C-alpha cells in the first residue's frame, strides 16, 4: 500500500504525523483520501484479506471506498 501511495504522489515522511492512527471506522460518504495514510494501508490490507478468504460481508463494506476498480 505504501508503495502505491508514493507512486500516486504521496511523500510519506511529510504526510505521516508522528502519532499516526491505524484504527479506522468506515464513515459513509468519506472518500478514501480523507483517511490517514496508515488507515488507508489498514483498509487495503483488510480488503485484501477479506477477498482472499471470500469474506463477502467485509469486502462489501470496504470495496466501495477503495481507489482500485473492480474490488467489489
Amino acid at each position: 500500500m505504501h508503495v502505491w501511495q508514493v507512486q500516486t504522489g504521496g511523500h510519506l515522511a511529510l504526510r505521516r504525523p508522528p502519532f499516526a492512527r491505524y484504527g479506522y471506522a468506515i464513515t459513509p460518504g468519506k472518500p478514501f483520501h480523507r483517511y490517514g495514510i496508515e488507515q488507508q494501508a489498514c483498509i487495503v490490507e483488510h480488503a485484501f484479506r477479506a477477498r482472499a478468504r471470500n469474506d463477502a460481508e467485509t469486502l462489501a463494506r470496504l470495496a466501495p471506498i477503495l481507489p482500485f476498480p473492480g474490488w467489489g
Side-chain angles (χ1 to χ4, degrees):
M1 180 61 205
H2 291 309
V3 171
W4 177 83
Q5 289 168 327
V6 170
Q7 289 175 342
T8 57
H11 190 282
L12 300 183
L14 297 177
R15 289 187 57 209
R16 186 182 184 278
F19 302 106
R21 292 183 172 160
Y22 290 81
Y24 65 91
I26 298 299
T27 304
K30 184 176 181 178
F32 185 76
H33 73 274
R34 299 290 297 161
Y35 291 90
I37 61 169
E38 298 298 348
Q39 292 172 324
Q40 291 174 1
C42 287
I43 291 167
V44 171
E45 176 187 353
H46 294 155
F48 178 83
R49 290 175 185 263
R51 191 176 194 188
R53 67 178 180 266
N54 294 318
D55 180 350
E57 182 180 333
T58 299
L59 192 57
R61 186 172 52 87
L62 298 175
I65 66 165
L66 292 175
F68 315 117
W71 271 75

